[in-house]
Amino acid sequence: MARGGQGLARVAVVVRAGAAPLWWTGVVAAGIGAVPQGLTGRRIGVLAGAALFLLGAAGVVLARRGRYADLARGAARAGKYDVLQDRAVTVRNWRRGHRWWLLLGGASALGSAFAVPVAGGLLLAGLGTGLWLKAAWLGRLERAAQTLLWVRVDWLGRYGGRPAGKAVRGLRGTGVAAGDAAPGGARRRTAALV
């Protein structure tokens, strides 16, 4: 980086990056997992899966919430020479770093269907939903403060995740027009040309 600038990735984009893969892996695993009768039967499997979906989503939303809020309050202004990473690059880095975990999670959810049908897949879908909800919560924080939150890329580790992990000593902030992602990490909608 020129003149001491740092590469920065959007916190909400890092959080949101795993939502879609977990959701779709979970939905597919739950669909396939409904085929075997399992040890418990489908009805109990679906009820257990619904409970796991809610617990997984709530656990992800509430995990490290205080840490995110503290980091957001202490966010320093991004420097002139800091480089803002594109949303697509951040998402790609997260998904490449976690691809084996996603495959292992999907395989585990399918395997568990022979004991408790559907439940493993719904748990994965719940984790994905929790990530979407956490990114939306971060988006509300960003809108309230009129500041987008960024984390140094080198603090995300080799898997491209954990934007509130131990290695993260602080966040940087920019105005809401910076970068190519809206508050909450979604793709920024471009105005249609008239």
Side-chain angles (χ1 to χ4, degrees):
M1 300 296 137
R3 300 191 190 186
Q6 301 289 335
L8 302 178
R10 278 289 300 288
V11 173
V13 172
V14 176
V15 169
R16 189 183 171 104
L22 281 169
W23 167 260
W24 285 112
T25 302
V27 167
V28 170
I32 296 171
V35 174
Q37 189 69 17
L39 298 175
T40 62
R42 285 188 199 98
R43 183 171 177 270
I44 291 174
V46 169
L47 291 173
L52 287 172
F53 179 93
L54 294 173
L55 287 172
V60 169
V61 169
L62 298 174
R64 310 207 80 174
R65 199 172 171 125
R67 170 94 167 129
Y68 280 99
D70 290 343
L71 287 169
R73 275 192 295 273
R77 191 86 180 138
K80 180 178 179 180
Y81 297 104
D82 287 336
V83 178
L84 306 180
Q85 190 174 79
D86 289 344
R87 180 185 186 279
V89 174
T90 303
V91 170
R92 185 175 63 239
N93 289 345
W94 190 97
R95 290 180 182 173
R96 278 186 183 163
H98 292 83
R99 65 185 177 272
W100 296 113
W101 290 108
L102 292 168
L103 287 170
L104 181 62
S108 299
L110 287 172
S112 72
F114 292 100
V116 186
V118 181
L122 287 181
L123 173 60
L124 284 180
L127 297 176
T129 301
L131 289 175
W132 262 316
L133 293 173
K134 180 171 270 186
W137 172 74
L138 284 167
R140 287 193 296 277
L141 281 182
E142 290 176 328
R143 283 187 194 94
Q146 286 296 295
T147 302
L148 298 181
L149 300 172
W150 301 79
V151 62
R152 282 177 47 173
V153 173
D154 57 328
W155 287 349
L156 292 176
R158 67 182 198 177
Y159 299 116
R162 301 183 56 86
K166 289 181 183 177
V168 178
R169 296 189 287 278
L171 300 180
R172 307 263 177 101
T174 63
V176 292
D180 63 347
R187 271 189 207 96
R188 195 179 293 278
R189 291 188 183 142
T190 56
L193 296 174
V194 180

